[in-house]
Amino acid sequence: VPPAVAKPNSTRAVMMAKDVDFRVFMNAHSENDADKLIKDFCGVQSKRDLNDGKPAAQFEDLRAQFLAWRRRQ
């Protein structure tokens, strides 16, 4: 079995926006709302931009905050 390949942040962002727990964490009312909040938080217009540079670091920070929050629930 080949090792799992890490998903790009752009793919993770799609998955997170669909996650009801993430929407509660972000106080988002819909998947589209969560998608916009992710992009606004990271200062990008396209999720593709989450894969590199400062936006990637900002996304990883948001994801880490969410995962820590979810563990406490």
Side-chain angles (χ1 to χ4, degrees), residues 42-55:
C42 298
V44 298
Q45 302 224 344
S46 169
K47 286 185 292 293
R48 284 188 311 263
D49 297 330
L50 299 173
N51 294 328
D52 298 300
K54 185 176 180 184

Side-chain angles (χ1 to χ4, degrees), residues 7-17 47-48 50-51 59:
K7 292 177 176 48
N9 287 340
S10 54
T11 301
R12 287 180 173 168
V14 170
M15 295 166 55
M16 285 170 55
K47 286 185 292 293
R48 284 188 311 263
L50 299 173
N51 294 328
F59 177 78

Side-chain angles (χ1 to χ4, degrees), residues 11-64:
T11 301
R12 287 180 173 168
V14 170
M15 295 166 55
M16 285 170 55
K18 291 180 180 184
D19 186 323
V20 174
D21 288 343
F22 180 74
R23 294 198 306 259
V24 169
F25 170 73
M26 292 295 286
N27 196 27
H29 303 290
S30 67
E31 186 178 325
N32 286 341
D33 193 20
D35 180 78
K36 182 179 181 335
L37 289 168
I38 291 168
K39 290 187 280 192
D40 287 351
F41 181 87
C42 298
V44 298
Q45 302 224 344
S46 169
K47 286 185 292 293
R48 284 188 311 263
D49 297 330
L50 299 173
N51 294 328
D52 298 300
K54 185 176 180 184
Q58 290 172 304
F59 177 78
E60 289 297 329
D61 181 53
L62 176 62
R63 184 169 177 265

